Amino acid sequence: MIKKILKILGIIVLVFIIILIVKALTVSSKQVEVKETIPYKIDIMTVAKHLSEAIQIPTISNQDSLKTDTKPFEQFHTFLAKTYPKLHKTLKKEVVKGYALLYTWKGSDPSLKPILLMAHQDVVPVDAVTLDQWTHPGFSGAIADGYIWGRGALDVKNALISIMESVEYLVNKGFVPKRTIYVAFGHDEEVGGEGAKAIAKLLKDRNVQLEYVLDEGGAIMEGALPGISNPIAMVGIAEKGYLTLKLTVKGTGGHSSMPPHHTALGVLARALVAIEDNPFPREIKGPAQQMFEYVTPHMSFPLKVMFANMWCFKPLLKWQFEKAESSNAIMRTTVALTMTGASEKDNILPTQAWAMINCRILPGETMASTTAYIKKVIDNEAVLIESTPWSNDPSPVSDINAPSFHSIATITRQIDNSIVVAPYLVLGATDSRNYNALTNQIYRFTPVKMNNEDLKRTHGINERISISDMGKSVKFFIALIEKTHQ
Ligand SMILES: [Zn+2]
């Protein structure tokens, strides 16, 4: 009898394993088949020189806009006008909010919705403590060892110069787009993005509706996911929301020699511990789920078996993802306890204790639902919860079946067909969040290869881009404009 049961069990396990493996073997690729390659001949050394010149102008934005040195921005505008004369002759240029730039390249068919290509002019400063750790100084724009070095090489003067080069190239060729093409460069993305906000408002006031927006956010990542050796073009189709909550507990004050059982700080501390102990539910869904659907066919065994059989392995994957900060952040709303304060003196009871917590909200949830969750977890009326003004809901999720996503995917693979294109959830905030009212299709992607080391260079030491990658980036934008808008 036992033998018989064991036999049946054995057969069930075998069938189960066969199902898993068959499922893994039969997941079909979602990649666009490309035959042709990108034909354009561009002079990459000239492109490199232009990026180098752009880097040498230190367009550093300051959190306090009154403290921003505006001279470099004026210089930057002059540099663009001088370097891209044909573009400036053909496109309409508007300066918005002081230093943000909006170019309009009028299309021949007004019935088609325009597109908007974005980047930002500003960069973060070079940390004075790290000055001597740079191989080439941060604003040198040095061209050496096959790279262009300096602040903005990856974030994001590379995209800005690529867009300008591509338009200049096409204007020079006599190309006229069918769709109107807007090019928008904010001047303060790193410190809040008032420039981009003003441009978005200007277009909205003019009743402009856009086919799609392309901004920074994702890149062509190498070594980003286990079990896949191909570079992955992470095209951001959504970005998380941003919510900072202020928690306040009122106290009685007084001398600390006869304290109550719990001071305002003690009550607040309990609330903070409860928040950390009760993270938001974890879920592989939406953009994260879509990303795995795109990369799974290109994974190696045995990971492919797991990802191809989410119905069975999801709990295990969630448990595994939770361990690393980056994968944890794509499957849940995260909360970071960031600031706190209480009494001014060691022997005075606090009349008030406060803390700031920063939440990054998963698409599908809202600022209201996030606040409600935090309130439930704290479960104490004594803790006052207020939201702060610099907060916003998650973006809507762009459609991966839209022609615009298809164009981006196709051109990326025409440049290098070993690249696997995948939708992606951007964890930070980009200027593109201002455009939610103008289009359903916002993509966040810069066509540049990045490995984990390059990620550290962004806002860090030795920021650089290879000359060859810069050439590919220019070709990407030429193709995107020409092939999809003629
Ligand atoms: Zn940036």
Side-chain angles (χ1 to χ4, degrees), residues 120 155-156 189-190 216:
H120 56 87
D155 184 11
V156 74
E189 191 274 347
E190 301 289 2
E216 63 176 343

Side-chain angles (χ1 to χ4, degrees), residues 252-257 263 265 342-351:
T252 50
H255 201 279
S256 63
S257 57
T263 68
L265 181 55
S343 172
E344 297 286 319
K345 203 166 179 301
D346 67 320
N347 62 357
I348 298 177
L349 296 170
T351 50

Side-chain angles (χ1 to χ4, degrees), residues 119-120 122 154-157 189-190 215-217 429-430 458-459:
H120 56 87
D122 60 319
L154 291 170
D155 184 11
V156 74
K157 282 181 174 166
E189 191 274 347
E190 301 289 2
D215 192 13
E216 63 176 343
T430 70
T458 311
H459 289 210

Side-chain angles (χ1 to χ4, degrees), residues 207-219:
N207 291 320
V208 172
Q209 278 294 309
L210 297 164
E211 179 68 19
Y212 72 91
V213 167
L214 180 60
D215 192 13
E216 63 176 343

